[in-house]
């Protein structure tokens, strides 16, 4: 009886312990209330205020899987298909597949397991800094007085900052698992937007510094996972390429080179060993070959490449944004003065009086990473005909209502009337201004996926003309829409894209890093072959 009681107690204890382990599995169970509120706010999940910890934790638990563990569940079919394509999956039947089917496919090829995702936010310092540029790491170290030995390389910076991460959070009086603004205190608004640009996340429009910080923070994990996935793929390609290259070099080496390699790596070579047997020995000790110090061998080149691959990849992500910057610069070259001034006005950038076109363009380029801070009169010119009519009819302005109800009003008439009403409302403030900004927010959100789809040819040409963009004769309707979308994107978002282009941008980054590695291998191989040729 006593034994049975002990067994029952032990079983109950195990069940309770197992249950406790299961319930405490999620990272947020150990978060401070401020972190719970911050996570909900970052993900635009409303929560009661004031609220006790239990209510906050329940709300986080309800949304945790869809936002932190399996964020792809909230993706649309285009984004799911793009992800599968980036993973090399066959997407021929994606158009016919339903969303549940695509979600299931993405789940099977996602970056990390659910267990790993659950634990990611328990020790944030291990990964959240990895997507930072070297300059932002240096600024952070300098601000917090973190000593970093010279030369201050990226790896050393990361190591030193991680060692001081918890202490810095404590000094800031904040938690560190889902970090507060203290982590980004050294970042300018342009730094924040540039990070979003580089990693392919749309900057919130209109925005504030708090919104930019929230966007960077909530997307940090997926940005890290993408960069690691791409870096792993590049490393795998480099290893495969090196293995092939090594075989070629081994085949090209004569007895003297093979024996020299064996001597350097402590490989015992029996007397009378034939050339083919020497090659077999070298292949057997390929691990040692990777550490060979012969300066002319591909091995040393590969060693240098792999030790530097992480840093080079980090730098390559910055290069990925150069194409976007160049495209923006080219678009700005055609813009009218009114468009240039409107771009700056939307970002709160003062425009000096009597500025010339070239001066305006230079100012726009300098602010290409600056996010728009609010609406302005120009915001109305990319809304649909029906959206404009609806606003004017319900604006509370009798003159505007008359234009909105007119069957003969052109789109230009509607835009001009809406701009006039907005100008008047913005100067007077109050309910009319609140109504205008509220309507704009709803209309732009609803129209962002199909903007220009319902526009006529004359409306598109007129829109492009407002930018100063010449329209080639014979342009099709689709070509006009594509050009209009391009100008709209640059005007609203600067150098970023309103859709998630991280796959494309990171792909380009990896290609650059991979090409760098392969260049080192090629140089090493060439030197080794020249050495063989000279000594044979």
């Amino acid at each position: 009886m006593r034994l049975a009681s002990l067994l029952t107690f032990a079983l109950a204890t195990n069940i309770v312990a197992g249950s406790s382990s299961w319930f405490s599995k999620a990272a947020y169970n150990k978060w401070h209330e401020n972190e719970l509120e911050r996570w909900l706010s970052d993900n635009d999940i409303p929560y009661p205020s004031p609220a006790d910890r239990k209510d906050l934790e329940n709300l986080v638990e309800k949304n945790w899987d869809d936002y932190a563990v399996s964020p792809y569940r909230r993706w649309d079919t285009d984004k799911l298909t793009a992800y599968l394509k980036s993973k090399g999956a066959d997407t021929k039947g994606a158009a016919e597949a339903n969303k549940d089917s695509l979600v299931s496919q993405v789940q099977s090829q996602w970056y990390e397991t659910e267990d790993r995702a659950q634990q990611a936010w328990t020790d944030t310092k291990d990964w959240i800094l990895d997507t930072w540029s070297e300059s932002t790491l240096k600024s952070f170290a300098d601000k917090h007085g973190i000593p970093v030995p010279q030369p201050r390389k990226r790896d050393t910076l990361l190591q030193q900052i991680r060692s001081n991460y918890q202490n810095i959070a404590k000094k800031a009086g904040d938690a560190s698992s889902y970090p507060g603004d203290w982590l980004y205190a050294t970042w300018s608004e342009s730094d924040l937007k540039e990070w979003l640009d580089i990693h392919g996340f749309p900057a919130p429009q209109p925005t504030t510094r708090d919104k930019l910080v929230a966007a960077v923070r909530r997307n940090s994990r997926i940005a890290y996972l993408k960069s690691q996935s791409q870096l792993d793929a590049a490393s795998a390609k480099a290893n495969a390429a090196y293995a092939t290259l090594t075989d070629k070099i081994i085949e090209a080496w004569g007895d003297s080179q093979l024996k020299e390699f064996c001597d350097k790596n402590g490989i015992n070579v029996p007397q009378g060993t034939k050339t083919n047997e020497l090659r077999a020995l070298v292949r057997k000790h390929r691990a040692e070959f990777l550490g060979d110090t012969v300066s002319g061998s591909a091995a040393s080149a590969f060693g240098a490449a792999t030790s530097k691959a992480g840093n080079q990849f980090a730098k390559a992500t910055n290069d990925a944004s150069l194409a976007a910057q160049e495209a923006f610069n080219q678009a700005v070259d055609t813009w009218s003065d009114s468009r240039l001034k409107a771009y700056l006005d939307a970002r709160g950038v003062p425009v000096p009086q009597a500025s010339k076109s070239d001066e305006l363009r230079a100012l726009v380029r300098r602010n290409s990473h600056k996010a728009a801070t609010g609406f302005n009169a120009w915001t109305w010119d990319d809304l649909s005909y029906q959206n404009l009519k609806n606003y004017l009819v319900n604006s509370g302005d009798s003159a505007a209502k008359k234009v909105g109800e007119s069957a003969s009003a052109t789109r230009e008439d509607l835009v001009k009337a809406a701009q006039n009403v907005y100008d008047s409302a913005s100067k007077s403030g109050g309910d009319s201004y609140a109504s205008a900004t509220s309507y704009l927010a709803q209309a732009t959100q609803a129209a962002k996926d199909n903007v220009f789809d319902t526009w006529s040819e004359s409306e598109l040409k007129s829109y492009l003309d407002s930018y100063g963009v010449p329209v080639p004769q014979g342009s099709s309707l689709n070509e006009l829409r594509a050009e209009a979308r391009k100008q709209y994107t640059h005007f609203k978002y600067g150098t970023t894209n309103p859709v998630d282009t991280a796959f494309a941008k990171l792909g380009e980054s990896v290609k650059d890093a991979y090409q760098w590695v392969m260049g080192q291998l090629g140089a090493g191989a060439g030197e080794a072959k020249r050495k063989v040729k000279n000594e044979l």
Side-chain angles (χ1 to χ4, degrees), residues 189-209 211-216 218-219 347 368-373 445 448 489 492-501 505:
E189 288 188 21
S190 292
D191 291 334
L192 293 163
K193 185 173 180 292
E194 186 172 6
W195 186 95
L196 293 168
D197 288 354
I198 288 170
H199 294 283
F201 299 104
Q205 300 283 351
T207 196
T208 61
R209 178 181 174 81
K211 287 182 180 179
L212 288 169
V213 169
V216 170
R218 73 169 173 265
N219 288 303
R347 288 152 180 82
S368 63
H369 284 294
K370 193 172 180 65
T373 54
Q445 178 65 27
K448 68 180 181 180
T489 297
K492 276 195 176 298
Y493 299 93
T495 52
T496 191
N497 193 304
V499 295
D500 187 349
T501 57
K505 288 183 179 179

Side-chain angles (χ1 to χ4, degrees), residues 42-359:
D42 281 2
N43 289 288
D44 296 322
I45 300 169
Y47 60 90
S49 181
D52 61 29
R53 181 188 170 81
K54 185 179 180 182
D55 291 337
L56 291 171
E57 195 169 323
N58 287 341
L59 197 51
V60 171
E61 181 182 5
K62 181 180 176 182
N63 292 278
W64 184 254
D65 282 354
D66 284 347
Y67 285 84
V69 179
S70 310
Y72 51 83
R73 292 179 186 174
R74 296 181 298 110
W75 290 0
D76 58 27
T77 54
D78 288 343
K79 199 169 177 182
L80 291 165
T81 303
Y83 178 83
L84 291 170
K85 190 175 180 181
S86 76
K87 287 292 187 178
D90 184 5
T91 58
K92 289 180 181 178
E96 292 76 28
N98 59 38
K99 183 176 177 179
D100 289 343
S101 173
L102 291 172
V103 166
S104 179
Q105 292 179 62
V106 169
Q107 182 179 19
S108 67
Q109 299 193 49
W110 190 239
Y111 300 114
E112 60 182 350
T113 63
E114 290 190 2
D115 283 343
R116 188 180 167 199
Q118 290 282 11
Q119 295 302 315
W121 291 97
T122 58
D123 209 354
T124 316
K125 71 177 186 295
D126 288 343
W127 55 267
I128 200 168
L129 302 165
D130 282 36
T131 58
W132 287 27
S133 67
E134 196 164 321
S135 62
T136 51
L137 289 170
K138 286 178 179 177
S139 296
F140 187 88
D142 291 341
K143 176 179 172 60
H144 296 286
I146 301 172
V148 181
Q150 295 290 346
R152 301 205 297 177
K153 296 181 179 178
R154 180 180 176 82
D155 289 345
T156 311
L157 283 163
L158 284 168
Q159 183 182 19
Q160 292 298 104
I161 292 173
R162 285 182 181 129
S163 299
N164 290 274
Y165 187 87
Q166 298 286 359
N167 289 334
I168 294 169
K170 286 179 182 177
K171 286 180 182 178
D174 202 350
S176 60
S177 292
Y178 196 75
D181 295 348
W182 62 267
L183 188 61
Y184 303 99
T186 58
W187 290 38
S188 66
E189 288 188 21
S190 292
D191 291 334
L192 293 163
K193 185 173 180 292
E194 186 172 6
W195 186 95
L196 293 168
D197 288 354
I198 288 170
H199 294 283
F201 299 104
Q205 300 283 351
T207 196
T208 61
R209 178 181 174 81
D210 288 344
K211 287 182 180 179
L212 288 169
V213 169
V216 170
R217 185 166 47 217
R218 73 169 173 265
N219 288 303
S220 285
R221 181 62 184 173
I222 199 166
Y224 165 78
L225 292 172
K226 288 175 182 177
S227 63
Q228 288 299 304
S229 175
Q230 297 287 1
L231 183 56
D232 289 345
S235 297
K237 287 181 180 179
N239 274 293
Y242 178 64
T244 303
L245 185 63
T246 301
D247 284 333
K248 291 178 181 177
I249 290 178
I250 292 172
E251 288 298 323
W253 276 359
D255 281 6
S256 59
Q257 286 76 35
L258 292 164
K259 286 177 180 176
E260 181 183 357
F261 171 78
C262 290
D263 288 342
K264 281 183 172 290
N265 289 280
I267 300 173
N268 183 35
V269 180
Q271 198 169 7
T273 302
K274 297 177 181 178
T275 303
N276 284 339
E277 293 170 337
L278 281 170
R279 291 193 179 108
L281 276 173
V282 169
R283 290 191 180 96
K284 182 180 178 182
H285 293 270
R286 191 167 301 214
E288 284 85 350
F289 185 30
L290 293 175
D292 188 15
T293 57
V294 180
S295 60
S297 73
S300 64
F302 183 72
T306 52
S307 66
K308 199 175 179 181
N311 291 342
Q312 189 65 23
F313 178 81
K315 292 175 184 176
T317 57
N318 292 327
D319 295 336
S321 65
L322 290 178
Q325 182 71 54
E326 181 61 25
F328 179 77
N329 290 343
Q330 289 176 4
V332 168
D333 282 340
T334 67
W335 284 5
S336 61
D337 285 2
S338 56
R339 276 288 170 184
L340 294 167
K341 289 176 182 176
Y343 179 92
L344 296 167
D345 181 48
R347 288 152 180 82
V349 178
V351 179
Q353 257 189 327
S355 295
K356 297 177 181 177
S357 296
D358 288 345
E359 293 169 337

Side-chain angles (χ1 to χ4, degrees), residues 452 455-464 469-487:
F452 306 119
W455 288 30
S456 67
E457 184 177 339
S458 60
E459 288 173 339
L460 290 165
K461 286 180 177 178
S462 177
Y463 179 79
L464 292 171
V469 176
V471 178
Q473 201 168 9
S475 297
S476 68
L477 199 57
N478 283 337
E479 288 171 337
L480 291 173
R481 284 174 183 149
E483 184 63 32
R485 286 192 186 99
K486 184 175 78 173
Q487 300 300 329

Side-chain angles (χ1 to χ4, degrees), residues 521-536:
L521 289 172
E527 184 63 28
K529 288 178 181 177
R530 282 193 293 275
K531 182 178 178 183
V532 171
K533 184 177 180 181
N534 291 336
E535 295 188 13
L536 285 179

